[in-house]
């Protein structure tokens, strides 16, 4: 029973390049969430998606960041023109369709390093 | 807004010692409270949770009690093991009426190292 799968585990990009982070939710889960963990900080909510819909993007930076969860395939967090401040661990979580009282199940994260 | 304040680490203990990691919070409404654990190189795993005042969450020998009067949710374990070495995060959900259970507010984390 696979958990939340994220890839790649580690990603290195030079300033100005694009970063694409992938997340496959647990089987039976249709809700996906992205969180970011900056060095020595707690995780911070970025965005909540259901299939083909962005439900809440209140934590997303206004520029360069986007997220999608297509009908088929994994959820993608895309960061354009990366800067050093984007270096962080990005965690994806998922939950079943009934959100209330369902804990979030987190993946192992993608550690992005911008050089 | 909501916030979580955790005891600063790192915390270093010997095996079989008693563990307390303090966590206090500020929140509107009636949030649920959580402890997550992050082992080296891994994602966060839910350790325990409590959904209302005076509830006690417990798992793997860890316990935490939801204290509304002191706005606290301290994590305790009577006898730690080397395998408990990890980062521990206290978190809470949005407790407002109609609030979002998925938008968790996390503390900064406490690194625990247990030596044999």
């Amino acid at each position: 029973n696979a958990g939340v799968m994220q890839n790649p585990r580690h990603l290195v990009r030079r300033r100005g390049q694009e970063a694409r982070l992938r997340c496959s939710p647990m089987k039976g889960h249709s809700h996906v969430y992205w969180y970011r963990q900056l060095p020595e900080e707690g995780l911070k909510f970025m965005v909540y998606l259901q299939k083909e819909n962005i439900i809440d993007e209140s934590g997303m930076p206004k520029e360069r960041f986007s997220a999608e969860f297509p009908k088929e395939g994994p959820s993608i967090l895309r960061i354009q023109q990366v800067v050093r401040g984007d270096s962080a661990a990005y965690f994806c979580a998922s939950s079943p369709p009934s959100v209330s009282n369902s804990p979030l199940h987190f993946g192992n994260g993608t550690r992005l390093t911008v050089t | 807004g909501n916030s979580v304040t955790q005891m600063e680490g790192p915390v270093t203990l010997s095996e079989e010692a008693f563990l307390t990691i303090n966590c206090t919070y500020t929140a509107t409404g009636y949030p649920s409270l959580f402890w997550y654990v992050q082992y080296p190189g891994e994602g966060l795993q839910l350790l325990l949770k409590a959904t209302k005042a005076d509830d006690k969450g417990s798992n793997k020998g860890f316990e935490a009690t939801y204290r509304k009067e002191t706005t606290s949710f301290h994590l305790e374990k009577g006898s730690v093991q080397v395998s408990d070495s990890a980062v521990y995060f206290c978190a809470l959900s949005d407790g407002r009426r109609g609030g979002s259970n998925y938008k968790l507010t996390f503390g900064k984390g406490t690194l625990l190292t247990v030596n044999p």
Side-chain angles (χ1 to χ4, degrees):
Chain A
N1 190 14
V4 177
M5 303 300 292
Q6 289 189 249
N7 67 81
R9 290 292 300 271
H10 300 277
L11 182 61
V12 179
R13 287 286 178 265
R14 286 195 292 270
R15 277 180 299 169
Q17 291 185 317
E18 178 180 287
R20 292 171 71 89
L21 288 63
R22 294 174 182 76
C23 169
S24 297
M26 281 182 71
K27 189 175 181 180
H29 287 192
S30 55
H31 298 202
V32 165
Y33 317 85
W34 286 93
Y35 278 74
R36 176 166 66 173
Q37 183 183 25
L38 292 169
E40 299 185 12
E41 296 282 333
L43 279 73
K44 294 196 188 314
F45 168 80
M46 299 180 75
V47 62
Y48 161 34
L49 309 106
Q50 296 177 18
K51 286 284 187 182
E52 300 185 282
N53 283 307
I54 297 174
I55 308 302
D56 181 350
E57 56 182 346
S58 57
M60 287 279 269
K62 294 288 185 280
E63 298 177 346
R64 302 186 296 108
F65 285 71
S66 62
E68 62 177 10
F69 189 15
K71 188 176 180 181
E72 302 291 338
S75 175
I76 306 286
L77 179 67
R78 183 181 176 209
I79 313 171
Q80 295 177 290
Q81 299 175 328
V82 296
V83 300
R84 289 221 171 100
D86 297 332
S87 296
Y90 292 83
F91 289 95
C92 173
S94 71
S95 69
S98 174
V99 177
S100 64
N101 291 326
S102 298
L104 302 187
H105 296 261
F106 284 86
N108 288 353
T110 293
R111 281 154 182 83
L112 172 65
T113 302
V114 179
T115 60
Chain B
N2 293 349
S3 68
V4 174
T5 302
Q6 268 183 255
M7 169 177 160
E8 288 200 17
V11 174
T12 302
L13 296 173
S14 298
E15 208 164 22
E16 299 184 3
F18 184 86
L19 169 71
T20 300
I21 301 178
N22 290 339
C23 171
T24 57
Y25 66 90
T26 57
T28 303
Y30 304 93
S32 294
L33 302 177
F34 307 86
W35 277 100
Y36 279 84
V37 59
Q38 184 180 25
Y39 297 104
E42 298 185 11
L44 277 71
Q45 301 175 23
L46 179 64
L47 181 60
L48 54 84
K49 70 173 186 176
T51 57
K52 61 183 187 298
D54 299 324
D55 267 3
K56 178 186 284 188
S58 60
N59 186 26
K60 300 181 181 179
F62 290 89
E63 292 184 340
T65 301
Y66 189 162
R67 302 278 188 209
K68 196 164 176 63
E69 64 276 14
T70 55
T71 61
S72 66
F73 192 55
H74 304 321
L75 182 68
E76 295 182 336
K77 186 174 185 181
S79 176
V80 292
Q81 306 300 313
V82 172
S83 58
D84 294 327
S85 298
V87 180
Y88 292 81
F89 290 94
C90 185
L92 58 83
S93 64
D94 184 345
R96 295 170 297 173
R97 185 186 298 274
S100 49
N101 287 337
Y102 57 83
K103 197 179 288 184
L104 301 180
T105 299
F106 283 84
K108 291 185 178 181
T110 302
L111 173 62
L112 169 66
T113 301
V114 180
N115 295 319

